[in-house]
Amino acid sequence: MVSMVSRSKVLKFLSASALAVLLAGCGAPLSAHWQGFPPDGPERAAGKGAPQADASAAPGPDCSQVKCVALTFDDGPGPYTASLLDILDEHEAKATFFLIGKDIAKLPEVVREEAARGHEIGNHTWSHQDLAKISVAAAQRELRKTDAAIKEVTGASPTVIRPPYGTIREDLKKSLDLPVAMWSVDTFDWKTRDAKKTIKSAEKVVPGSIVLMHDIHPSTVKAMPTMLADLKARGFHFVTVSQLVGDPKPGTGYETGQQAAAGK
Ligand code: NI
């Protein structure tokens, strides 16, 4: 099922766009109360990646020595995700997928492939709720149901959470047993739906960037070969959020990895 999907096939999908999956607003600005960065410290040691969904995944590059970026894809799985996985493989890129729980059962084989190919799986709530606007108990239900769906399909629990719209209550965040991944580069792919603009947005990437994208948009998947080639030409390695951060702590938010050593 997760075979090579040709570009023409993707375009057919596009024209058959019964798929007006309008999860717009996902890339909303960061909430003002967001607090992210843990201090630089010895714990930010190289190669100390958090547990991955796929234990057989090869260790990533040493992000204290080389330029790394974490590409992240929200709101999937979707009909373009399988072709994205092939593109990532072609560029030896690892990424992080923040999944919508209720959609996992629609494309379980795609989610299995995400994990099997060494990508990181994250929780993006069951039904794309704004976690700042619902009760802590309701938010925990959204997250727990999604945890269970991911575990059922991949055999492993997710390792990171991304709150929809980038908003989460401080008390909820602190109570979480997983780290929270925000972003430092917003491609606005959900808004522009334009591959060229998505490619251009990657010019803002610096070592340690976490890049926000959405694999439910064909324009985003179409942008990836060029974006990956451009970033590779600039010397970047593509790693998961946990690899980028090194040892992310539960209940803590991260907008970037700590990349001072490679910041050139
Ligand atoms: Ni989203």
Side-chain angles (χ1 to χ4, degrees):
M1 176 67 195
V2 182
S3 55
M4 295 283 285
V5 177
S6 70
R7 182 166 292 186
S8 63
K9 226 171 178 179
V10 170
L11 290 173
K12 259 181 216 163
F13 259 129
L14 210 174
S15 53
S17 63
L19 219 318
V21 194
L22 294 173
L23 287 165
C26 185
L30 296 179
S31 67
H33 63 264
W34 184 259
Q35 297 168 359
F37 311 82
D40 269 313
E43 76 273 9
R44 169 75 187 94
K48 224 170 119 196
Q52 298 294 297
D54 178 9
S56 68
D62 180 350
C63 294
S64 70
Q65 300 300 317
V66 299
K67 294 183 187 177
C68 291
V69 58
L71 303 180
T72 68
F73 298 94
D74 289 11
D75 299 352
Y80 315 106
T81 308
S83 61
L84 172 60
L85 289 174
D86 289 338
I87 293 166
L88 291 170
D89 277 357
E90 284 161 24
H91 291 80
E92 297 174 320
K94 300 302 179 206
T96 305
F97 290 90
F98 291 96
L99 306 182
I100 299 289
K102 69 179 173 57
D103 291 337
I104 290 170
K106 295 176 192 166
L107 289 164
E109 68 287 353
V110 171
V111 173
R112 260 193 297 277
E113 278 296 309
E114 289 173 346
R117 298 193 195 190
H119 303 294
E120 185 166 29
I121 305 293
N123 186 327
H124 198 48
T125 76
W126 182 258
S127 57
H128 211 265
Q129 294 288 309
D130 184 338
L131 297 180
K133 292 185 177 164
I134 59 177
S135 70
V136 167
Q140 284 168 341
R141 275 197 300 277
E142 281 274 326
L143 293 168
R144 257 189 252 120
K145 267 174 86 176
T146 305
D147 282 347
I150 289 169
K151 184 153 194 190
E152 190 183 330
V153 163
T154 68
S157 297
T159 43
V160 62
I161 290 168
R162 172 168 285 154
Y165 315 104
T167 52
I168 186 168
R169 296 156 59 131
E170 202 59 23
D171 53 348
L172 173 63
K173 187 182 83 180
K174 285 184 178 151
S175 76
L176 297 173
D177 56 4
L178 290 179
V180 176
M182 302 298 293
W183 58 87
S184 57
V185 173
D186 192 343
T187 62
F188 292 102
D189 62 332
W190 59 273
K191 195 172 183 182
T192 68
R193 312 280 179 99
D194 181 321
K196 281 186 184 153
K197 288 179 181 164
T198 302
I199 291 163
K200 188 158 176 56
S201 69
E203 289 174 4
K204 294 175 285 186
V205 169
V206 296
S209 290
I210 298 176
V211 181
L212 174 64
M213 292 184 278
H214 302 80
D215 52 317
I216 54 170
H217 301 306
S219 51
T220 300
V221 177
K222 197 177 159 199
M224 290 316 297
T226 303
M227 186 192 286
L228 288 161
D230 287 356
L231 288 168
K232 193 179 273 183
R234 290 172 56 199
F236 282 98
H237 298 255
F238 307 102
V239 298
T240 67
V241 168
S242 288
Q243 287 171 330
L244 184 77
V245 173
D247 188 17
K249 302 285 189 289
T252 304
Y254 298 88
E255 291 172 342
T256 67
Q258 307 295 308
Q259 292 291 307
K264 47 185 177 289

